[in-house]
Amino acid sequence: MPAFAAYAPGKAILLGEHAVVYGYPAIAVPVNQVEARATVQADLKAPTGRFWIEAPDVDLDCDLQDLPERHPLHRLVQVVQDHFGIARFPALRLRIKSTIPVAAGLGSGAAVSAAAIQALAAFLGRPLTKGQVSNLTFEVEKFLHGNPSGVDNTVVAFAQPVFFVRDQPMEFLSIKEPFSLVIGDTGISSSTANVVSYVRQCWSSHQAYYESVFESIGSLVKKARTLIENGPVMEIGPLMNENHAQLQKLGVSSQELDHLVEAARKVGAFGAKLSGGGQGGNMIALAAAGQEEKIASALRSAGAKHTIITTVR
Ligand code: MEV
């Protein structure tokens, strides 16, 4: 019996998180060293409608029907069924495995959804375009996060660096010189939905101030785009530092993130900042060629639970 497999990478926001929710641009890149993988196989012995889910990373081994009503997998399956106009799937087994840390700002939820949506569509013999995968993943993201910008589903579905503005056609970035990022995990899990809603509350009571911070972040993103496309790419470093300072003003950094950011700068990173929702999760540092291991090791000595080295190309 053939199995239909699909995968989606993790992601890092290079610059522009949070401001992107309010219509300012962001740059996001895939992180191919981690991934979510979904496999779908027909279950010929099971009664029609049986939808078995195995997700050992989160201790799931059960029928979809046994999951609580608000479980995001219900939404995911409904989104795919609605897209194809089917009332139910033939009996199947969906297996999900992911190496992307959960609630860490690396796009784990979006990648799991994108991989599962693609695998389910392939199982039906109706493969989706990357744009369709992104749109359907966005529907699940809305259910999970309330008010996502759409950047996470876009970068994981297309698996390419993107310049993203909410509700506008996404643009791929052409990278002049490949560059390395070192990613450091505080090990503190943080729900993006909660941090986005915290920023929303602060924004509602101090709108002018928050808009001015978002605007500054937006202009850093535009400068970074020019450097990525024309070089010299290492000059993005100071823009990342400035972006981190703006994120601190929004109240989305933390002692642990600041500590790792400092540790990376101390050993020569061109720039460093938190990445993703913040208040925990991961930070990123821009490294000169050959310096990646040194920065990763400094991050681990400073308390990072994991480090990843990735090249953006
Ligand atoms: C999360 O990866 C990025 C945020 O800007 C939220 C979003 O864009 O939906 C914090």
Side-chain angles (χ1 to χ4, degrees):
M1 188 54 49
F4 297 86
Y7 91 99
K11 70 97 206 343
I13 308 272
L14 191 60
L15 298 107
E17 52 275 270
H18 289 292
V20 68
V21 174
Y22 297 80
Y24 297 89
I27 293 172
V29 300
V31 176
N32 294 306
Q33 286 68 18
V34 284
E35 66 176 31
R37 185 168 281 276
T39 313
V40 179
Q41 212 163 4
D43 193 345
L44 297 178
K45 291 191 206 112
T48 310
R50 162 73 60 80
F51 195 117
W52 198 265
I53 295 165
E54 258 180 81
D57 304 321
V58 288
D59 286 332
L60 277 188
D61 190 7
C62 63
D63 195 322
L64 179 66
Q65 281 172 16
D66 298 331
L67 290 177
E69 219 172 284
R70 297 262 329 145
H71 197 284
L73 279 170
H74 281 298
R75 179 73 191 133
L76 186 146
V77 173
Q78 192 61 53
V79 158
V80 179
Q81 288 179 175
D82 290 351
H83 178 82
F84 290 117
I86 57 171
R88 62 175 55 172
F89 278 90
L92 61 77
R93 295 179 84 85
L94 166 65
R95 182 175 165 82
I96 299 170
K97 277 289 288 169
S98 174
T99 54
I100 309 171
V102 177
L106 294 183
S108 137
V112 164
S113 297
I117 287 167
Q118 282 180 80
L120 287 167
F123 169 75
L124 291 173
R126 300 168 79 178
L128 298 166
T129 64
K130 290 178 178 170
Q132 287 171 323
V133 173
S134 175
N135 291 342
L136 298 184
T137 302
F138 187 47
E139 292 308 312
V140 185
E141 287 282 283
K142 283 197 259 184
F143 176 81
L144 276 170
H145 293 315
N147 184 25
S149 64
V151 66
D152 287 11
N153 50 282
T154 303
V155 68
V156 304
F158 286 90
Q160 278 191 60
V162 295
F163 179 86
F164 181 88
V165 182
R166 187 171 197 154
D167 300 327
Q168 288 187 23
M170 122 336 264
E171 295 173 64
F172 294 124
L173 287 173
S174 69
I175 313 284
K176 168 100 172 157
E177 317 152 31
F179 56 95
S180 297
L181 294 176
V182 183
I183 302 173
D185 192 346
T186 60
I188 295 166
S189 69
S190 168
S191 141
T192 300
N194 290 350
V195 188
V196 167
S197 114
Y198 163 79
V199 173
R200 171 71 58 181
Q201 276 168 30
C202 301
W203 171 85
S204 350
S205 27
H206 305 282
Q207 220 157 311
Y209 174 72
Y210 272 73
E211 285 294 338
S212 77
V213 176
F214 294 151
E215 208 164 314
S216 308
I217 293 175
S219 76
L220 297 170
V221 175
K222 287 185 198 146
K223 285 183 196 155
R225 178 188 188 160
T226 308
L227 291 167
I228 287 175
E229 295 190 324
N230 304 299
V233 81
M234 291 314 166
E235 285 182 15
I236 302 167
L239 303 177
M240 291 167 69
N241 291 340
E242 179 57 25
N243 193 169
H244 186 72
Q246 301 290 355
L247 289 163
Q248 286 174 317
K249 289 188 195 163
L250 297 180
V252 300
S253 193
S254 68
Q255 256 186 341
E256 294 82 0
L257 283 165
D258 291 347
H259 182 60
L260 293 185
V261 162
E262 273 311 311
R265 290 178 189 158
K266 235 185 239 165
V267 289
F270 289 114
K273 63 180 276 292
L274 72 86
S275 180
Q279 292 186 353
N282 279 269
M283 49 69 69
I284 55 173
L286 180 64
Q291 296 298 299
E292 299 89 341
E293 258 317 325
K294 182 172 143 196
I295 294 172
S297 148
L299 287 173
R300 288 191 298 272
S301 304
K305 300 293 176 278
H306 311 276
T307 53
I308 299 170
I309 296 171
T310 190
T311 302
V312 180
R313 50 180 96 248

